[in-house]
Amino acid sequence: MIQKDLCNYITSEFSDYLEPISLLSKSTEGKVLVKDERKLYNFDKITEKVYNNLKVPSSADALFATSKELLFTELKSGFKRKISEETIDYNKLTCPDDNTKICKDYAKLLIDKGKLETKELLDSLKFKAIESFVTLEKKLFAFCPGSVPENKHIKVIFCVVIDDYIDSMEDTLTELADKPSASNTLTNVRASLSRFVGLKTSDGQDYFYDEIKVLSPYEYTQYINRFTT
């Protein structure tokens, strides 16, 4: 939690960087992850501005602040795959010189490629979580003039929206069973970011995030009602 009046500071300093979620979630290929016209702050652009042409770190896609909460959002496509250990159809992977035989080496190559790409996505999320908080602490805190009362703290949340997810009820049951499925992307992403929640400095001050959220596009549109309405 933090004790700076970031809501007023962000509103006054970065109003030009408000953009529709649909635009913020558009991939380089033009695919929109979250179709929603409500506006959040483009945190990539804010980061570029506050580092003022210096080496710019990685950053979450979006930021929004209220008097009680500060929300970072990373809108991440790339997790959804046509081929995985759970979905691969070996019958379609026949050897070029003999279509009666299954090419297991090719199948393994495709699966391993998918795992490597998923690991790269998870590593990217970790860097964005770390460096977004560093920007918050070193650049936004440093120039934010106002503080909130000592008995009032602002909750800091890092939210990831992904394009591959299982039904929320299935996700809950999987976690209750304490047996995460290899295909449960939500659980895997949460696990990779769990180290950034509830940390404290050597003098007992809260550090990093108070909460990590990993949501589907639909769940995200419902979740941000608390921030934008």
Side-chain angles (χ1 to χ4, degrees):
M1 291 186 176
I2 57 178
Q3 286 185 281
K4 287 283 190 176
D5 188 8
L6 284 168
C7 182
N8 286 331
Y9 175 67
I10 291 168
T11 301
S12 63
E13 294 295 322
F14 305 113
S15 59
D16 290 344
Y17 298 136
L18 278 168
E19 295 180 5
I21 297 171
S22 295
L23 180 59
L24 290 166
S25 72
K26 183 181 290 187
S27 69
T28 53
E29 294 79 20
K31 183 178 180 181
V32 175
L33 178 61
V34 181
K35 296 179 179 179
D36 194 305
E37 295 310 305
R38 286 175 289 183
K39 293 183 178 181
L40 305 178
Y41 293 93
N42 185 322
F43 192 62
D44 289 326
K45 291 183 179 179
I46 290 175
T47 301
E48 291 175 3
K49 178 179 174 65
V50 298
Y51 278 90
N52 193 27
N53 297 322
L54 299 174
K55 185 177 180 181
V56 179
S58 62
S59 53
D61 292 312
L63 174 71
F64 202 80
T66 70
S67 60
K68 296 181 179 179
E69 295 173 300
L70 185 74
L71 174 70
F72 286 101
T73 299
E74 176 62 19
L75 300 142
K76 201 70 173 178
S77 299
F79 283 100
K80 190 172 184 178
R81 304 192 179 282
K82 293 181 179 179
I83 297 177
S84 66
E85 286 183 289
E86 290 76 22
T87 63
I88 192 166
D89 184 351
Y90 287 95
N91 293 321
K92 294 181 180 179
L93 297 174
T94 56
C95 295
D97 55 348
D98 186 352
N99 58 17
T100 65
K101 294 181 179 180
I102 302 298
C103 187
K104 293 185 178 180
D105 287 341
Y106 182 49
K108 184 178 183 303
L109 181 64
L110 290 175
I111 292 172
D112 288 346
K113 179 177 180 292
K115 287 181 178 179
L116 179 60
E117 290 173 347
T118 296
K119 182 180 182 303
E120 290 174 349
L121 287 171
L122 292 174
D123 288 343
S124 171
L125 289 176
K126 292 175 189 176
F127 279 115
K128 285 176 180 287
I130 293 169
E131 295 187 344
S132 293
F133 190 88
V134 170
T135 297
L136 174 67
E137 182 184 47
K138 301 297 184 182
K139 294 296 183 177
L140 299 187
F141 283 4
F143 297 101
C144 180
S147 298
V148 297
E150 290 187 5
N151 63 346
K152 182 180 178 182
H153 293 78
I154 298 173
K155 188 175 182 180
V156 185
I157 305 165
F158 190 84
C159 181
V160 182
V161 185
I162 60 175
D163 61 347
D164 184 29
Y165 52 91
I166 60 177
D167 179 81
S168 296
M169 181 59 73
E170 183 182 347
D171 179 48
T172 301
L173 293 174
T174 297
E175 291 187 346
L176 289 174
D178 198 28
K179 294 180 180 179
S181 165
S183 63
N184 187 343
T185 307
L186 287 173
T187 300
N188 292 340
V189 174
R190 287 191 190 114
S192 72
L193 298 173
S194 61
R195 70 187 67 182
F196 306 125
V197 179
L199 297 179
K200 291 185 179 295
T201 61
S202 59
D203 60 354
Q205 298 297 312
D206 291 326
Y207 197 68
F208 269 124
Y209 299 100
D210 298 291
E211 187 176 353
I212 298 287
K213 304 286 291 185
V214 185
L215 304 172
S216 72
Y218 173 75
E219 289 169 334
Y220 182 68
T221 60
Q222 300 304 301
Y223 175 66
I224 60 168
N225 285 337
R226 65 197 283 185
F227 296 93
T228 58
T229 58

